[in-house]
Amino acid sequence: MNFLAHLIGYAAAIREFVAPTYRPERYYMRGPGPACARRGNSLGVSAH
């Protein structure tokens, strides 16, 4: 039974490599990036 579980795991890994599933949460931007931090201005504060 353990051999069958390994075989199923390998088949799933090969399938993911050949035809990867799209998961939008992997690519969703979760806030300001490093360029914003380097500029040094906070969110919501205008530079007057």
Side-chain angles (χ1 to χ4, degrees), residues 2-20:
N2 195 15
F3 175 74
L4 183 59
H6 283 290
L7 188 63
I8 291 171
Y10 290 137
I14 290 171
R15 184 184 67 232
E16 183 68 24
F17 179 75
V18 172

Side-chain angles (χ1 to χ4, degrees), residues 3 22 33 41 45:
F3 175 74
Y22 175 67
N41 46 348
V45 177

Side-chain angles (χ1 to χ4, degrees), residues 22-44:
Y22 175 67
R23 296 189 179 123
E25 64 272 9
R26 287 184 178 177
Y27 309 104
Y28 179 71
M29 187 173 169
R30 291 179 180 86
C36 184
R38 280 193 297 267
R39 284 194 298 264
N41 46 348
S42 302
L43 290 177

